[in-house]
């Protein structure tokens, strides 16, 4: 867990990816790698998610491919079987968190309230996903939540983009930011992987001095 979190912190940005077709997984993975972000949170919002994770993990063994929007243990098991290196949940799930902790699987549970955060703390997990960040007050809320939980750090996701990612990452309570602005669905569907690569490069350059 610690090694994975160190890698995520160095990368600073975790692209949040929705793949509708498995055949898009490899060109997308290549675009992220070439753009300087060898990491992806592939969301379990589509039927192509599991096979896409498997394809990316096999093709890019050095890439940090995780599964996002995991809402039950069945999805969690499927993601891990396909090679996912970490699990991200949109909200707090006792069952998924327990399963990951019991099996040594890195997990970033989703939270947006003090009650959910207390549950995460009970599992001795060092990082939580704060989602949806924009709708729940962004950095102001994260700072307020962090006060009674000084051991916790956060990965804000939802409404994070070029305009505010630096503000988030400048705070020491933020380990990294999740975002989809460089991997928008319409770009993937249109096969504009060169554009995704260029947007990824721009994102990396935007935060490299932080």
């Amino acid at each position: 867990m610690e090694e994975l979190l160190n890698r995520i912190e160095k990368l600073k940005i975790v692209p949040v990816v929705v793949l509708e077709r498995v055949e898009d997984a490899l060109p997308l993975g290549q675009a992220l790698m070439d753009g300087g972000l060898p990491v992806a949170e592939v969301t379990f919002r589509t039927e192509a998610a599991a096979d896409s994770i498997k394809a990316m993990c096999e093709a890019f063994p050095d890439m940090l491919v995780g599964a996002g929007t995991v809402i039950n243990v069945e999805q969690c098991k499927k993601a891990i079987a396909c090679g996912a290196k970490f699990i991200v949940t949109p909200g707090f799930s006792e069952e998924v968190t327990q399963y990951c902790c019991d099996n040594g699987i890195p997990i970033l549970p989703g939270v947006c309230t003090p009650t959910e955060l207390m549950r995460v703390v009970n599992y001795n997990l060092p990082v939580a996903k704060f989602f949806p960040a924009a709708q729940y007050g962004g950095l102001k809320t994260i700072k307020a939540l962090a006060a009674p939980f000084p051991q916790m750090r956060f990965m804000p996701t939802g409404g994070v983009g070029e305009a505010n990612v630096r503000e988030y990452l400048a705070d020491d309570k933020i380990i990294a930011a999740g975002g989809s602005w460089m991997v928008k669905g319409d770009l993937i569907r249109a096969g504009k992987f060169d554009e995704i690569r260029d947007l990824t490069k721009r994102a990396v350059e935007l935060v490299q001095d932080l």
Side-chain angles (χ1 to χ4, degrees):
M1 182 79 170
E2 187 177 353
E3 183 184 348
L4 177 131
L5 292 176
N6 285 340
R7 283 185 67 187
I8 287 176
E9 184 167 16
K10 285 177 183 174
L11 292 167
K12 299 185 177 73
I13 297 172
V14 177
V16 179
V17 179
V18 179
L19 286 165
E20 296 168 358
R21 302 174 302 199
V22 178
E23 55 263 37
D24 291 331
L26 296 192
L28 177 80
Q30 191 66 59
L32 290 173
M33 295 281 284
D34 292 345
L37 266 185
V39 58
E41 176 190 327
V42 180
T43 61
F44 258 71
R45 300 181 191 180
T46 69
E47 291 184 5
D51 288 339
S52 295
I53 289 170
K54 185 176 182 183
M56 289 172 75
C57 288
E58 289 176 352
F60 310 110
D62 294 331
M63 190 176 188
L64 205 55
V65 182
T69 322
V70 174
I71 60 174
N72 56 51
V73 172
E74 182 185 357
Q75 285 182 340
C76 184
K77 288 179 178 178
K78 187 182 286 188
I80 296 302
C82 289
K85 295 181 173 72
F86 62 96
I87 298 293
V88 184
T89 59
F92 182 79
S93 164
E94 201 88 49
E95 294 79 11
V96 175
T97 305
Q98 188 69 59
Y99 179 81
C100 287
C101 290
D102 288 346
N103 291 277
I105 300 162
I107 180 171
L108 286 78
V111 303
C112 64
T113 68
T115 302
E116 292 167 326
L117 198 49
M118 284 176 70
R119 291 174 177 165
V120 173
V121 168
N122 286 339
Y123 282 93
N124 293 315
L125 292 169
V127 179
K129 170 180 177 170
F130 183 70
F131 175 82
Q135 290 78 0
Y136 279 91
L139 192 56
K140 274 182 156 182
T141 302
I142 290 173
K143 286 180 176 180
L145 284 172
F149 305 103
Q151 72 273 48
M152 290 300 301
R153 298 182 75 195
F154 301 85
M155 183 173 80
T157 308
V160 179
E162 286 185 319
N164 59 7
V165 66
R166 285 181 61 86
E167 182 186 3
Y168 275 111
L169 291 172
D171 192 281
D172 63 359
K173 290 298 179 184
I174 308 299
I175 186 170
S180 58
W181 74 92
M182 76 296 291
V183 287
K184 289 178 181 174
D186 57 343
L187 294 179
I188 296 173
R189 284 190 292 273
K192 295 183 177 180
F193 297 106
D194 287 349
E195 192 171 336
I196 290 171
R197 177 201 62 210
D198 293 343
L199 285 169
T200 302
K201 280 183 180 177
R202 197 160 82 188
V204 171
E205 289 167 1
L206 183 64
V207 301
Q208 65 181 358
D209 63 326
L210 293 172

